[in-house]
Amino acid sequence: MSAVEAAYRHLTKEIAPAAPITLGASVLKWYDIAPEDEPVPGPIRALARATLRGAVDSGAIDLDDEVGFVILHRCGEGFYFLLVSTWRNDNELWETVWARSDDSAGFRPWRLEGTHRPTFCVWELGAVWHEQQAWSRFLRSERDADAREAYLEDAFAGEV
């Protein structure tokens, strides 16, 4: 298959929920994704959280009493994606993407040319699938404060 290089070897990663992040009136669940033997370091997670707080404070990302989730994905020794996803318009998942590489001090917006763009990789889709199911349960509920809390407490942990 031309989409998979002959030398590619697929490895298993772990999804680990961390404490949610509250940004104004918005609350986002948090998922770290990394190989089991190379988890996301605490300082990188702290930097990612600070990036999000700064982006909300500066208006670089506009959240309005939303819920959703964040994926901090370790994609190698020093490259990380920071994916911020919120539920909008009842049933749509909206996303903002930042990245950090070995040679950068912090996370920066991930800019791409063209119209056909990457979305989620196979590991990230494990968290996205869980979140799709959790949001669907919320949509079928009374959608009151208890249902919102149930959604926020429903997190996935495991191998992908």
Side-chain angles (χ1 to χ4, degrees):
M1 291 182 55
S2 64
V4 181
E5 294 181 24
Y8 176 78
R9 297 296 173 256
H10 192 71
L11 53 113
T12 299
K13 292 188 179 185
E14 293 287 323
I15 296 178
I21 186 167
T22 301
L23 302 163
S26 297
V27 181
L28 306 176
K29 300 181 206 182
W30 194 280
Y31 294 104
D32 288 347
I33 300 178
E36 184 178 19
D37 59 344
E38 296 179 286
V40 172
I44 296 293
R45 186 182 313 108
L47 178 62
R49 287 177 175 267
T51 297
L52 289 184
R53 288 189 195 290
V56 168
D57 291 346
S58 72
I61 185 171
D62 184 27
L63 302 178
D64 184 25
D65 193 23
E66 296 174 304
V67 294
F69 57 97
V70 174
I71 296 173
L72 178 55
H73 184 183
R74 184 174 195 163
C75 302
E77 185 62 34
F79 186 87
Y80 295 83
F81 273 119
L82 178 61
L83 313 172
V84 181
S85 298
T86 61
W87 296 105
R88 291 186 175 175
N89 300 329
D90 304 326
N91 56 21
E92 296 175 358
L93 187 61
W94 288 47
E95 182 187 38
T96 300
V97 179
W98 283 285
R100 180 190 181 276
S101 60
D102 289 331
D103 59 350
S104 65
F107 286 87
R108 297 197 185 338
W110 183 254
R111 307 231 189 265
L112 295 171
E113 300 286 328
T115 57
H116 195 57
R117 301 168 185 222
T119 57
F120 299 103
C121 74
V122 295
W123 299 287
E124 294 157 359
L125 282 170
V128 173
W129 171 252
H130 175 84
E131 289 301 312
Q132 182 273 335
Q133 295 293 298
W135 189 248
S136 291
R137 285 188 291 276
F138 173 79
L139 291 175
R140 290 185 197 100
S141 75
E142 295 296 318
R143 296 191 301 272
D144 56 11
D146 289 340
R148 183 179 193 262
E149 190 59 32
Y151 166 76
L152 291 170
E153 291 176 0
D154 185 355
F156 176 77
E159 196 174 89
V160 286

